[in-house]
Amino acid sequence: MKKIVVIGGVAGGMSFAARMRRLDETAEITVIEKSGFVSYANCGLPYYVGGVIENEDSLLLQTPQSLWKRFRLDVRTGSEVLRIDRESKQVDVLNHADAHEYSLSYDYLIFSPGAAPIRPNLPGIERSLSLRNVEDAKRMFDVVSLKPTSAVVIGGGFIGVEMAENLVHRGIKTSIVEAQNQVLMPLDPEMVTLVHMELESRGVKLFLGSALASINVKNVVLANGTEIDADLVIMAIGVRPEVTLAKSAGLEIGERGGVKVDQFNRTSDPSIYAVGDAVEKTDALDYSAALVPLANIANRHGRVIADHIAGKIVRPVPAQGTAIVKVFDLTVATSGWNEKKLTAAGRNFVAVHNHPASHAGYYPGAQGMALKLLIDPQSHQILGVQGVGKEGVDKRIDVIATAMRGGITAPELADLELAYAPPFGSAKDPVNMLGYISENVLTGITPTVQWHEVEKKVSEGYSILDVRSVAEVDRGTLPGAQNLPIDEIRERKEEIPKGKILVTCQVGQRGHAATRLLREMGYEAFNLDGGYMTWSNSPANNKEKVGI
Ligand SMILES: Cc1cc2nc3c(=O)[nH]c(=O)nc-3n(C[C@H](O)[C@H](O)[C@H](O)COP(=O)(O)OP(=O)(O)OC[C@H]3O[C@@H](n4cnc5c(N)ncnc54)[C@H](O)[C@@H]3O)c2cc1C
């Protein structure tokens, strides 16, 4: 009979424990959980604070009693592992209720303590609240129920943005302070503008590129001296792997600061496995060590460990970092690497932007979305994808994340036979369209120019030709652009500029057709990828905001 002790009874720990029981009825499995709750839905906590999830109980997926009844798991909440003694294969446990300390021996130890919110050592930091577990959420809920007038969220990551939305939902004047010049760092700058617009349109004040200096009784002060009213301060600048116990037990810590594990999630001690936010994952693209504090991969790896201990065949699971977040009416989703990361790593890539409708335009309710695909120019491997929009973004990113996992190349997205009827999509789904565009770009049928290359191209002598209608151009175009509507190009060919031509339209589609026509006519034409919409959503040009 195996004696197994699990440290941490939420995503990674509980996925492991339940799977282990299903594979081995004889194992003695004890789960030690520091907080007062087990198997709770931490991803739902911001929505509990915001009053969207009204019933606290719906966040509590299991109790120690239900886990004993169904799985014969000995779950001890309010109990903290204080030490791991690898020599004697024991952990020391403190029961917080009665301050009783005792030891538990193990054959296998599963380490899943999660991550700890980063809390910088700044004046007044003790007044800020962080959100990690049910107790934190209750504390925050109570403060919010006192009806504070103003709140400042420090950090514009996924949790920070979710918190801002939920505080607005509770009628609180909310600001986000973010040290970088954008929120949601997995997005590239031309994609995140839409998120900034959405937040601002909902009354969230953004202080970007601003570092927090101090927290006072009624406000926060930024490094540049700006003071922002803050009855409530939420600290959400990120998390770090909770490795204190692992370090003191002498387990190997990796270069990114998480517990180092092999492909079966074994630590440097073969009797100890580690999972979740506390460990380093293997990046699916370059196999480097990565911190990916997300629930899916924690759950998946929990199962991997159980399978490995039970002697099953295990498929190692690298991390793509597929993530999604709701920002008021917007859905933001990503998978793989973004342009910033590829550039920093010196990797070659081709970017493709598209602004399709969520479903057939003639069926009521279609919404625009912005999609961006990053592709390896040699192998045509999909390196990353980003999507922002009101509807249908989730399924497109999930399809592409699946394609990435399956090794489907960017042009092959055109071949995917996806479910279609007018209320749901288009006969050429946005995913297929990314495949078509990729093929055209990668094979040189339609060479493209990116939004950030326009100025350089103009300085090199390119002329800009806007092929939209006169009415559209009147609403805004690129500086210096000449208007020649696509349907008039053949008749007005004497007006086509000499030399290299940068063709632009609204989203890149008419630009593609016009570029092809001009090339057939013998001109050296290039299409502005993503058209005026992508260009005007770029940080430098977004005074001309045009939406998705
Ligand atoms: C507010 C919030 C929203 C989130 N939203 C999303 C989302 O929408 N999508 C997504 O993919 N991910 C989301 N996440 C991240 C996701 O919850 C984590 O990636 C996942 O829970 C990690 O699993 P884990 O097992 O490593 O850690 P956790 O699930 O955090 O579990 C760790 C547990 O270990 C316990 N513990 C720590 N130390 C000890 C000790 N010494 N002894 C005993 N117990 C200990 C802790 O109390 C904790 O309950 C969110 C996280 C938070 C906090």
Side-chain angles (χ1 to χ4, degrees):
M1 181 191 66
K2 299 180 186 84
K3 277 185 90 171
I4 302 174
V5 174
V6 182
I7 304 177
V10 194
M14 284 316 304
S15 288
F16 161 80
R19 172 73 172 170
M20 193 70 232
R21 170 60 72 230
R22 289 191 290 266
L23 297 178
D24 184 346
E25 180 59 15
T26 64
E28 186 186 303
I29 305 170
T30 309
V31 179
I32 306 297
E33 168 53 51
K34 185 164 73 171
S35 78
F37 303 90
V38 66
S39 202
Y40 52 86
N42 32 16
C43 307
L45 298 177
Y47 301 96
Y48 171 68
V49 177
V52 177
I53 297 173
E54 291 177 4
N55 185 357
E56 177 196 320
D57 287 348
S58 49
L59 294 169
L60 308 175
L61 309 176
Q62 297 285 350
T63 62
Q65 295 72 26
S66 67
L67 288 163
W68 174 256
K69 208 165 172 209
R70 174 80 47 92
F71 294 112
R72 286 294 185 273
L73 299 175
D74 178 358
V75 178
R76 304 181 189 182
T77 53
S79 300
E80 181 176 359
V81 172
L82 300 178
R83 270 172 302 277
I84 302 169
D85 182 345
R86 290 167 49 204
E87 287 265 300
S88 60
K89 288 193 165 187
Q90 282 192 346
V91 292
D92 295 337
V93 182
L94 170 68
N95 181 346
H96 284 289
D98 57 9
H100 170 60
E101 222 182 292
Y102 60 95
S103 298
L104 274 179
S105 63
Y106 63 82
D107 298 316
Y108 292 106
L109 179 65
I110 316 303
F111 186 71
S112 187
I118 297 170
R119 295 181 59 79
N121 193 10
L122 288 173
I125 186 72
E126 62 286 349
R127 193 164 83 75
S128 70
L129 300 176
S130 298
L131 184 58
R132 194 66 212 167
N133 57 29
V134 177
E135 282 90 346
D136 294 338
K138 285 183 174 193
R139 208 170 302 128
M140 229 178 246
F141 183 88
D142 290 345
V143 174
V144 165
S145 301
L146 296 173
K147 300 199 184 307
T149 313
S150 57
V152 175
V153 178
I154 313 293
F158 283 55
I159 294 177
V161 164
E162 283 182 351
M163 277 315 306
E165 173 178 338
N166 279 287
L167 293 171
V168 169
H169 194 250
R170 296 288 296 260
I172 303 168
K173 206 174 102 212
T174 303
S175 306
I176 295 178
V177 172
E178 167 57 58
Q180 303 294 324
N181 53 11
Q182 68 165 84
V183 301
L184 301 181
M185 287 306 285
L187 290 179
D188 285 319
E190 79 282 15
M191 301 296 284
V192 81
T193 299
L194 303 164
V195 181
H196 293 164
M197 286 161 61
E198 179 73 3
L199 287 165
E200 283 169 346
S201 76
R202 299 308 187 107
V204 177
K205 212 153 176 230
L206 297 177
F207 294 85
L208 303 176
S210 307
L212 175 70
S214 64
I215 301 172
N216 301 322
V217 180
K218 282 307 242 179
N219 67 11
V220 302
V221 182
L222 306 185
N224 63 10
T226 306
E227 294 184 6
I228 314 168
D229 287 348
D231 295 335
L232 166 64
V233 181
I234 309 275
M235 189 57 64
I237 59 172
V239 294
R240 55 169 178 72
E242 181 50 89
V243 292
T244 321
L245 273 178
K247 262 188 186 163
S248 46
L251 294 177
E252 196 178 338
I253 305 297
E255 62 197 84
R256 306 292 311 276
V259 178
K260 196 165 179 173
V261 292
D262 67 9
Q263 56 183 340
F264 307 117
N265 282 68
R266 269 181 312 203
T267 67
S268 51
D269 178 336
S271 304
I272 305 180
Y273 291 73
V275 58
D277 292 358
V279 309
E280 290 182 352
K281 282 90 177 174
T282 303
D283 186 280
L285 192 57
D286 70 348
Y287 303 106
S288 63
L291 294 175
V292 184
L294 292 169
N296 172 295
I297 195 101
N299 280 281
R300 181 74 193 99
H301 282 163
R303 192 176 160 107
V304 160
I305 296 173
D307 287 359
H308 196 251
I309 292 176
K312 304 274 173 239
I313 292 172
V314 173
R315 286 187 308 279
V317 188
Q320 265 172 245
T322 307
I324 189 163
V325 65
K326 174 179 175 302
V327 188
F328 295 96
D329 281 352
L330 284 184
T331 305
V332 177
T334 66
S335 190
W337 288 26
N338 60 21
E339 185 166 337
K340 289 175 289 196
K341 190 168 172 181
L342 290 165
T343 305
R347 269 192 86 133
N348 285 338
F349 63 88
V350 167
V352 162
H353 296 82
N354 194 19
H355 299 266
S358 54
H359 60 251
Y362 58 80
Y363 185 87
Q367 302 280 350
M369 71 176 90
L371 295 174
K372 176 175 184 178
L373 198 66
L374 293 152
I375 310 156
D376 184 292
Q378 265 77 48
S379 66
H380 300 178
Q381 178 190 3
I382 303 169
L383 305 174
V385 64
Q386 299 163 42
V388 182
K390 290 193 171 158
E391 206 184 280
V393 169
D394 50 349
K395 79 167 169 171
R396 273 61 190 222
I397 299 301
D398 276 347
V399 168
I400 295 171
T402 308
M404 289 165 73
R405 174 82 183 144
I408 290 171
T409 65
E412 285 170 343
L413 293 177
D415 308 336
L416 297 181
E417 197 177 318
L418 302 171
Y420 161 63
F424 305 103
S426 299
K428 285 182 195 154
D429 189 86
V431 172
N432 300 135
M433 288 306 299
L434 284 174
Y436 291 125
I437 300 168
S438 303
E439 186 147 42
N440 287 332
V441 174
L442 292 166
T443 56
I445 288 177
T446 297
T448 53
V449 165
Q450 289 299 311
W451 60 271
H452 54 82
E453 297 173 323
V454 171
E455 253 179 67
K456 185 165 166 279
K457 296 294 177 193
V458 169
S459 73
E460 288 168 5
Y462 284 55
S463 309
I464 304 178
L465 195 65
D466 192 327
V467 298
R468 294 175 298 166
S469 68
V470 176
E472 285 173 287
V473 172
D474 280 348
R475 290 196 288 273
T477 185
L478 277 66
Q482 175 190 334
N483 182 211
L484 182 51
I486 181 167
D487 296 337
E488 299 170 28
I489 289 176
R490 291 180 185 86
E491 286 72 33
R492 293 167 57 185
K493 55 176 177 285
E494 65 286 351
E495 293 175 42
I496 300 170
K498 305 276 173 283
K500 291 182 178 170
I501 304 170
L502 174 55
V503 179
T504 179
C505 67
Q506 186 68 3
V507 297
Q509 197 174 10
R510 279 172 287 172
H512 159 63
T515 301
R516 286 305 312 147
L517 172 59
L518 289 166
R519 286 194 159 252
E520 288 296 307
M521 291 166 81
Y523 292 91
E524 211 179 339
F526 301 80
N527 189 22
L528 177 63
D529 181 54
Y532 177 66
M533 218 177 243
T534 297
W535 178 86
S536 60
N537 281 332
S538 66
N541 308 318
N542 70 15
K543 293 161 239 67
E544 311 242 8
K545 291 167 186 172
V546 292
I548 288 168

